[in-house]
Every structure is written in C-alpha cells, then in structure tokens.
C-alpha cells in the first residue's frame, strides 16, 4: 500500500505496528522483541510504535532536498519510532493532566497523559474523560505539517495521509481541573496549554 505513495514523492508514516486490537499477536510480539533489543531500560516497548518510510531519488541534492521532475526512486530508508518521544519535554513542570488522543485512518486509537515534561501511556483506545469533550481541540497531522512549513522554503518531501492519516486530540482531565479552580480558569488555561502543545508539535514536525 505504501509503494505507490512513495513514488509520488511523499514520505509515508505507517499504522501502529504493535496495536493488539488491530495487529496479529505474533506481529505485535515480533515488533516488541525487536524494539526491546535497542531500547533502554526506561522505555516501554509495548507503547505505540510506527514505521516511517522515506523515498530516495536519483536526483537528490544533499540529504533530503530534491529537484522537480520525473526522477527515479532508487532506494527507501525507514525507521520505527515511539509516539511518546514526540510528546516528552513539551510542557513545563506543574502542568499535569493534559490527555492526548491519537486516532488514525487505520482504525487505531491510543492515548497519553502529559504530566509536565513526562509522558504516561494510558493504553490503546480513547482514554480521555468524556466529561471534557467540549474542551477538546483537534488537528490532523497534515494540518500541523502545513503550519510547520508555512511560507518557509522546505525542501524535504511532504508527509502523505494516503495510507494512514492521523488526527491529534487534546483534552483536560480531572487532574488538570484540580489545579485550576473555577470553570473559566479551566477553559482558558486548557485552551492555552492545548495551543502551546500544538505549536510545539508544529516546530517538532518541521525540525524532523
């Protein structure tokens, strides 16, 4: 499914490779075992892991810059990554209880809670408290890419959402609410933190 997209000069993030709800148990165990061989002792390899494929063209300039035209794809490079690594060290100490829920077009959902710079994997499926639905903010990975690029002259390949498009949803939680007494304070603070989160993810996406 990824090869035709790679030939259109797009980088392809894959589905979650170790989601027990959508991937065969043997494949989940294989991915977790391989990751365990390279991960440090603080890494939970059962957390969501995605693959990433990046096509290399024969007219590539430097490392990722390419020229326009009908060049030939000569190779593909790729890697696996933990989604939690994108969320670490975004929020300052004392900003606890923001819940981030990822949902993709491959029918996979996974949730994290951000406690300051630390990230806690809540599990597969949507684990946010639905009491806070009205305070949720949503953006797609493609939205973040567009904001990241803006008017900059980015010479790398764009992400593709043809294979497994991903949406990011951010919600406050009871832990977050306890720190901010009063409904107005909760609304304004949660919105401010969510915007800060999205802004930081934009820079991370652009930098990567």
């Amino acid at each position: 499914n990824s090869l035709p997209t790679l030939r259109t000069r797009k980088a392809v993030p894959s589905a979650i490779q170790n989601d027990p709800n959508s991937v065969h148990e043997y494949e989940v165990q294989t991915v977790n075992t391989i990751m365990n061989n390279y991960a440090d002792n603080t890494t939970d390899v059962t957390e969501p892991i995605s693959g990433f494929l990046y096509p290399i063209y024969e007219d590539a300039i430097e490392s990722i810059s390419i020229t326009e035209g009908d060049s030939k794809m000569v190779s593909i490079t790729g890697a696996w990554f933990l989604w939690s690594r994108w969320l670490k060290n975004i929020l300052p100490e004392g900003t606890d209880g923001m819940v981030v829920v990822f949902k993709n077009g491959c029918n996979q959902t996974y949730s994290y809670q951000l406690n300051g710079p630390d990230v806690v994997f809540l599990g597969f499926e949507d684990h946010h408290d639905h009491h806070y639905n009205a305070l949720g903010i949503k953006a797609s990975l493609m939205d973040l890419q567009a904001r990241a690029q803006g008017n900059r002259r980015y010479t790398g390949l764009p992400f593709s959402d043809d294979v497994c498009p991903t949406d990011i949803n951010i919600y406050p939680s009871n832990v977050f609410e306890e720190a901010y007494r009063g409904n107005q304070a909760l609304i304004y603070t949660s919105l401010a933190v969510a915007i800060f989160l999205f802004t930081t993810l934009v820079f991370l996406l652009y930098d990567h």
Side-chain angles (χ1 to χ4, degrees), residues 91-98 114-117 176 180 193:
L91 296 182
E93 290 282 355
T95 310
D96 297 344
M98 289 302 290
L114 274 60
N115 298 323
F176 188 87
Y180 300 94
V193 172

Side-chain angles (χ1 to χ4, degrees), residues 71 103 146 149 166:
S71 61
K103 297 183 178 182
Q149 292 179 2
T166 300

Side-chain angles (χ1 to χ4, degrees), residues 49-170:
I49 297 169
S50 277
F52 188 84
L53 298 176
Y54 197 99
I56 305 298
Y57 288 86
E58 62 182 358
D59 62 354
I61 300 175
E62 297 178 348
S63 58
I64 61 173
S65 177
I66 59 170
T67 58
E68 297 297 329
D70 298 324
S71 61
K72 179 182 178 182
M73 183 172 69
V74 294
S75 182
I76 299 171
T77 185
W80 281 344
F81 65 91
L82 292 159
W83 282 89
S84 60
R85 295 299 173 91
W86 287 63
L87 302 175
K88 283 182 179 293
N89 300 312
I90 289 181
L91 296 182
E93 290 282 355
T95 310
D96 297 344
M98 289 302 290
V99 176
V100 180
V101 180
F102 291 91
K103 297 183 178 182
N104 65 35
C106 298
N107 297 317
Q108 296 173 320
T109 304
Y110 39 108
S111 306
Y112 301 88
Q113 181 169 307
L114 274 60
N115 298 323
D118 300 321
V119 181
V120 177
F121 176 51
L122 300 178
F124 291 95
E125 301 298 342
D126 185 340
H127 290 283
H128 87 275
D129 186 339
H130 293 277
H131 174 73
Y132 300 101
N133 279 355
L135 297 176
I137 296 181
K138 174 182 177 181
S140 72
L141 194 62
M142 298 303 292
D143 290 336
L144 295 183
Q145 174 183 250
R147 295 179 192 177
Q149 292 179 2
N151 295 323
R152 300 179 181 89
R153 188 178 178 183
Y154 175 64
T155 57
L157 297 176
F159 286 120
S160 169
D161 62 351
D162 296 335
V163 176
C164 204
T166 300
D167 289 331
I168 306 170
N169 304 267
I170 299 176

